[in-house]
Amino acid sequence: MLAAPASGSGKTTLACGLLLALRRRGCAPAAFKCGPDYIDPMFHTRVLGVPSRNLDLFLQGEPGARRSLAAAARRGADVAVLEGAMGYYDGIAGTDAASAWQTARALGAPTVLVLRPEGASLTLAAQVQGLQRFRAPSHLRALLLNGCKASLFAHLKPLLERETGLPVLGFLPRLPEAEIPSRHLGLLTAGEIEDFAARYAAVAQALEENADLDRLLMLAAPAPLESEPEAAPAPARCTIAVAQDEAFCFYYADSLDALRAAGAQIRFFSPLRDAALPPEADGLYLGGGYPELHAEALSRNEGMRRSIRQAIAAGLPAVAECGGFLYLQERLTDDRGRVFPMAGALPGLGAPAGGLRRFGYALLRAEADSLLFRAGEEVPAHEFHHWDSDACGDGLSARKPGTDRAWRCAVVRESLYAGFPHLHFGGERPLAERFAAAAANYGKGRRAHV
């Protein structure tokens, strides 16, 4: 695991550079991101050309995280690189629950701490000592310095090793050409970065020249793989259309795999460019993303808006999370304050909220059965959005774990889940199986009337 004392330490840049450097050495690395973040795994994925996956103890539970590791091993990976989230011990509601440290503990992952040595020398050692002693075992095994000059590294390496007992395996110099701009949800997505390959080739080369990668690989420990055999995937029984373009790009790779394992064929389409839903669609999955940045283009595609509105009115099983939920509503305000018509399958106006709304993990409870939920059960979810709606729905009760905060959210029906909370289909609840079963039944009925 690559972890850090705080966000902004350069974990994603180092993780991408390390993944590429390992591949150059003949390894077959798999990439993972601790927590619910969608954007960092896009960078890993573009570096490797294969999906990066989230390891989230809240959304998946420890068994789900181990299943993700086991699946990577079955696909031929020989080393897993886990990028931590936020600060090493930062978890739910001011605790270490679901933190990078808890993930390292659950998986037995040796952790390399990434430090930015800005304006400090011996104090860095005090900070590292605090991190070492805060929880036992800390799983900290080495240090890497980021944004560091060679002369400063020569000064800090013996000092830090003497004071902390941890080896300093090298440094990454400041590389202005590798810096990635940010916006309201974090970094730009990997697909928006010009000269992506050249940027991370430079990072990988700098790590090769300035870090002891052989010693870093020697730190790796065997992953705790699940002992039970992999279940055979269900026969294909339905097709689920998944929106995939610049406006809709937030999906967990394990969620899509769970749908495939439940018997769904995935058919990607673009609400920005395609004229209508794929005709073979038995279900619809509209993930999160940035519809507010593409509101004018989405609105111009009247054929797609009409196709989706009519399909949902006809009972097409559909899941719409966050940005997808905003798209299903009547109108959406873009980042310039202009208001555009959207699909109109649901009432509501989406608009900028002036900051994060209901940010973080939540537990959703249903009072009645619906497409994904069953009465009385709780489902873990996550919210992260700067746009809000005047019609957020009231089909589920939500509560923030570890606090007394609660609210109503989402539109839920026999054939629909639409709301701001993001769900993970690779957790303990059989959400993928329920979605695929509903899509299969819908497809069977649709074909019977042809």
Side-chain angles (χ1 to χ4, degrees), residues 369-380:
D369 290 355
S370 61
L371 173 66
L372 298 183
F373 294 81
R374 298 297 177 264
E377 73 179 12
E378 281 193 325
V379 174

Side-chain angles (χ1 to χ4, degrees), residues 305 308-309 326-331 341-348:
R305 292 194 288 121
I308 288 177
R309 181 172 62 252
L326 289 172
Y327 176 65
L328 285 189
Q329 296 191 340
E330 292 168 318
R331 294 175 297 153
M342 290 291 110
L346 298 173

